[in-house]
């Protein structure tokens, strides 16, 4: 979800482009035929600053942890910013499936169509308990809501890797500062973060064949819904169940 910062202006190198991204090696080496959702490659200057200032781990260059972290960041770039699966470099399109909290897997085409937020935040709870209604959201509406509430980006880091390829198990942390409104909820200025687990199944070229994500959405929405509503009321908690996602 780091891709919410995709329209931040990058540092220029003369008049010819932007500084290469240190965490996404291929971002500015893409073919000119790539079809970008917003017309050009994204930049992550603000999100990278948030990441470097707030990360809890600095992994050695070339380590498995750094490799996994940068691979997932590159995958997030493509999911959030490319519109054609044929332009992806990080997945095996014939085999790729995306699983969240044990739900049915989504194909690459489905994730590109509905967006990573809708894929991640779909809920099996009764609709009256939904604070994010994935069936009512589009790629653009969800992207804009989270870009608005996290104007500096929503940083992501690997905090532990448990197994090497081809089945990489890891723990991650996602965080940002709630400095813009989220729908009817005023910003608190506080840090919102959540933790989760992932399993990344890759082929011999490190291209993803399956991505499994496990996390508790109450950690995210608990921070976003506790602020003041525009009608003057307050939300003291988040009525999600830990048992259902």
């Amino acid at each position: 979800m780091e891709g919410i910062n995709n329209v931040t202006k990058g540092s220029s190198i003369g008049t010819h482009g932007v500084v290469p991204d240190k965490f996404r090696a291929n971002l500015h080496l893409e073919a000119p035929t790539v079809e970008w959702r917003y017309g050009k490659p994204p930049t992550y200057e603000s999100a990278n600053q948030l990441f470097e200032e707030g990360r809890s781990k600095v992994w050695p260059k070339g380590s498995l942890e750094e490799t996994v972290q940068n691979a997932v960041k590159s995958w997030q770039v493509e999911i959030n910013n490319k519109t054609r699966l044929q332009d992806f470099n990080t997945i095996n399109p014939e085999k790729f499936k995306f699983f969240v909290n044990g739900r049915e897997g989504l194909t690459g085409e489905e994730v590109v169509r509905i967006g990573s937020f809708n894929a991640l935040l779909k809920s099996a709870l009764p609709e009256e308990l939904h604070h994010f209604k994935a069936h009512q959201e589009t790629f653009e509406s969800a992207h804009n809501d989270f870009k608005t509430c996290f104007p500096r980006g929503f940083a992501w880091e690997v905090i532990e890797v448990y197994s090497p390829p081809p089945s990489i198990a890891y723990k991650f942390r996602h965080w940002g500062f709630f400095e813009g409104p989220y729908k009817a909820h005023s910003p608190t200025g506080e840090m919102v973060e959540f933790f989760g687990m992932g399993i990344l199944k890759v082929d011999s070229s490190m291209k993803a064949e399956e991505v499994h994500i496990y996390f508790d959405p109450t950690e995210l929405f608990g921070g976003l819904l506790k602020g003041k509503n525009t009608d003057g009321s307050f939300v003291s908690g988040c009525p999600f169940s830990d048992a259902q996602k």
Side-chain angles (χ1 to χ4, degrees), residues 63-230:
S63 65
L64 176 61
E65 291 84 359
E66 187 208 42
T67 299
V68 172
Q69 183 167 265
N70 292 352
V72 174
K73 286 178 181 287
S74 295
W75 175 78
Q76 291 173 333
V77 168
E78 296 196 316
I79 286 292
N80 287 314
N81 294 282
K82 290 182 177 180
T83 61
R84 302 183 305 186
L85 219 59
Q86 69 196 59
D87 292 330
F88 279 49
N89 299 309
T90 61
I91 71 169
N92 182 330
E94 287 76 28
K95 295 184 178 181
F96 181 80
K97 283 291 186 72
F98 184 55
F99 301 85
V100 179
N101 289 334
R103 295 196 301 267
E104 183 178 358
L106 299 173
T107 66
E109 289 88 349
E110 289 172 316
V111 179
V112 168
R113 177 175 55 82
I114 68 174
S116 58
F117 290 108
N118 290 325
L120 284 163
L121 297 173
K122 182 179 179 181
S123 175
L125 288 170
E127 185 170 353
E128 62 269 18
L129 298 179
H130 289 189
H131 285 286
F132 182 89
K133 302 182 187 297
H135 64 285
Q136 295 180 4
E137 300 282 355
T138 64
F139 185 109
E140 289 75 17
S141 66
H143 181 98
N144 289 336
D145 280 343
F146 283 97
K147 181 175 179 294
T148 297
C149 72
F150 297 124
R152 284 191 276 163
F154 200 34
W156 187 94
E157 68 170 336
V158 162
I159 56 178
E160 195 161 359
V161 175
Y162 302 102
S163 60
S167 186
I168 306 165
Y170 60 92
K171 185 177 182 180
F172 67 85
R173 171 180 172 244
H174 231 324
W175 76 99
F177 288 88
F178 185 18
E179 297 170 327
Y182 176 70
K183 296 188 182 294
H185 298 274
S186 299
T188 64
E190 297 177 355
M191 183 175 70
V192 174
E193 66 179 347
F194 68 87
F195 296 81
M197 301 290 297
I199 299 174
L200 181 64
K201 296 185 178 181
V202 299
D203 63 18
S204 59
S205 300
M206 278 294 288
K207 292 188 176 183
E209 295 182 342
E210 292 184 11
V211 176
H212 297 254
I213 301 295
Y214 301 91
F215 76 106
D216 182 356
T218 64
E219 293 187 64
L220 171 62
F221 287 105
L224 295 178
L225 302 180
K226 73 177 183 180
K228 188 175 182 180
N229 284 332
T230 54

